[in-house]
Amino acid sequence: MQLNNAFKNDENQEKIITKSAKLINNETCELIYTDNGKGIKKIENKEGHLGLNIIQSLTKQINGTLEINTPENGSRFKIIFPIKEDTYDIQNNKL
């Protein structure tokens, strides 16, 4: 995920970004990204929001679900997606 937009026009703020990934079970993975940037305003019209459209498109391609939260400061993205057993060997960390 590109981090440029997290702090666009926010020069004076200390930048805090967290990313985590965990296996929910042997078939599902959860990715969480949070930042303390300006946040994403409620978007009715997604036209012109290329980064958000790309995240939504990529999540759909991996049959995942995308949850976007915008607390008072920052943004939180949670993507949950299935892991294909024939694609990745979890035990041996190889494709």
Side-chain angles (χ1 to χ4, degrees):
M1 183 176 297
Q2 193 170 15
L3 306 177
N4 305 28
N5 291 338
F7 300 102
K8 203 175 205 177
N9 303 320
D10 224 347
E11 299 293 325
N12 298 322
Q13 182 176 344
E14 179 184 2
K15 297 160 178 58
I16 300 172
I17 296 171
T18 62
K19 297 177 278 183
S20 66
K22 72 176 182 179
L23 291 175
I24 295 174
N25 54 46
N26 283 342
E27 298 173 354
T28 310
C29 184
E30 175 186 84
L31 298 176
I32 297 178
Y33 164 92
T34 60
D35 67 52
N36 67 333
K38 291 176 19 176
I40 298 174
K41 307 288 184 255
K42 185 177 179 183
I43 299 172
E44 300 296 331
N45 179 5
K46 294 182 175 74
E47 243 178 77
H49 296 279
L50 182 60
L52 185 56
N53 288 338
I54 290 170
I55 292 169
Q56 291 171 323
S57 176
L58 292 173
T59 300
K60 186 176 180 180
Q61 287 178 30
I62 59 173
N63 296 318
T65 59
L66 172 63
E67 181 182 305
I68 302 171
N69 293 310
T70 55
E72 192 171 314
N73 294 317
S75 299
R76 181 177 189 271
F77 294 83
K78 179 164 83 170
I79 300 172
I80 297 176
F81 60 95
I83 298 172
K84 295 181 181 177
E85 242 180 77
D86 61 339
T87 306
Y88 189 76
D89 182 346
I90 296 169
Q91 299 299 319
N92 296 309
N93 285 336
K94 54 184 168 177
L95 295 173

